[in-house]
Amino acid sequence: MKILKSTLKTEVVFDDDMANKYVVRKEWNKSKKMALVIMKSAGETNEIEQDHTTMYVTNNLARLGYGAAIIMNLFPTIEGANTNSSAVENLKYLQEELTKVDDVVIAVGTGIETNKEAVNRLKMMVAMLLDKQANLLQIECPRGRKGFHPLYPAVKHEWKLVPFESEEMSV
């Protein structure tokens, strides 16, 4: 008989009003590499509960040999309107979290090109990440298409990470 044990440490960073969620950290093995995953909007995950997106991110990164996931979003707002101050604060956290990770997975999905504000935020974040020489990756589906969100049916159970190509953002 084998008994396996593990501890999953979760930390979530909100603003004082709990209106913006800036960072979700999940760590299960600090001796392995860490990934920062950037998606579009803050979900339902908190320090106890997981939404489906966070579950798929954690499961897939663990299968790929990572020991931690840091989840951030283009839009940290969970209550009220998006503000410039929350966007600035989000970028500050991005700079801070970037120093802790080995890889950054851009996983905003394929539908953001119709949202100018989302495209602009992504361009701003990618420019900062490239300036800091981050290793940018994206999720590729079995048919070779790239740029998926973790909930996309063809990739939610198995990720293939490939280099992120910034010229794909020419919107």
Side-chain angles (χ1 to χ4, degrees), residues 24 26 39 45 50-59 71:
V24 175
K26 298 228 169 243
M39 294 178 282
T45 290
Q50 284 198 111
D51 56 23
H52 284 104
T53 306
T54 304
M55 178 188 71
Y56 288 126
V57 166
T58 304
N59 290 352
I71 298 171

Side-chain angles (χ1 to χ4, degrees), residues 40 74-75 82 108 111-125 169-171:
K40 185 178 173 190
L74 300 178
F75 300 100
N82 290 308
V108 295
I112 75 155
E113 58 274 353
T114 60
N115 182 332
K116 271 191 168 188
E117 189 177 2
V119 169
N120 288 337
R121 289 224 185 158
L122 180 59
K123 285 180 178 181
M124 194 178 339
M125 286 181 156
M169 294 188 328
S170 58
V171 176

Side-chain angles (χ1 to χ4, degrees), residues 37-40 53 57 105-112 137-156 158-162 164 168:
V37 180
I38 298 175
M39 294 178 282
K40 185 178 173 190
T53 306
V57 166
V105 179
I106 307 295
V108 295
T110 58
I112 75 155
L137 303 169
Q138 63 187 334
I139 304 168
E140 181 179 81
C141 79
R143 293 186 174 173
R145 289 180 34 225
K146 302 174 187 104
F148 290 99
H149 183 275
L151 287 180
Y152 186 73
V155 302
K156 67 183 182 181
E158 184 178 4
W159 285 7
K160 178 181 178 187
L161 295 177
V162 297
F164 178 77
E168 292 176 7

Side-chain angles (χ1 to χ4, degrees), residues 62-159:
R63 288 181 193 124
L64 290 170
Y66 290 87
I70 298 174
I71 298 171
M72 295 189 68
N73 295 286
L74 300 178
F75 300 100
T77 304
I78 51 177
E79 187 175 292
N82 290 308
T83 64
N84 284 339
S85 64
S86 69
V88 168
E89 194 69 16
N90 203 37
L91 288 174
K92 287 179 189 174
Y93 275 105
L94 178 62
Q95 282 187 311
E96 183 180 319
E97 297 303 317
L98 180 59
T99 66
K100 303 171 187 173
V101 302
D102 301 281
D103 299 318
V104 177
V105 179
I106 307 295
V108 295
T110 58
I112 75 155
E113 58 274 353
T114 60
N115 182 332
K116 271 191 168 188
E117 189 177 2
V119 169
N120 288 337
R121 289 224 185 158
L122 180 59
K123 285 180 178 181
M124 194 178 339
M125 286 181 156
V126 167
M128 177 191 296
L129 293 164
L130 290 172
D131 185 55
K132 301 290 184 184
Q133 298 179 339
N135 185 35
L136 299 183
L137 303 169
Q138 63 187 334
I139 304 168
E140 181 179 81
C141 79
R143 293 186 174 173
R145 289 180 34 225
K146 302 174 187 104
F148 290 99
H149 183 275
L151 287 180
Y152 186 73
V155 302
K156 67 183 182 181
H157 296 293
E158 184 178 4
W159 285 7

Side-chain angles (χ1 to χ4, degrees), residues 33-51:
K33 58 186 181 173
M34 297 175 69
L36 168 62
V37 180
I38 298 175
M39 294 178 282
K40 185 178 173 190
S41 303
E44 301 293 319
T45 290
N46 61 35
E47 71 282 4
I48 303 294
E49 298 176 19
Q50 284 198 111
D51 56 23

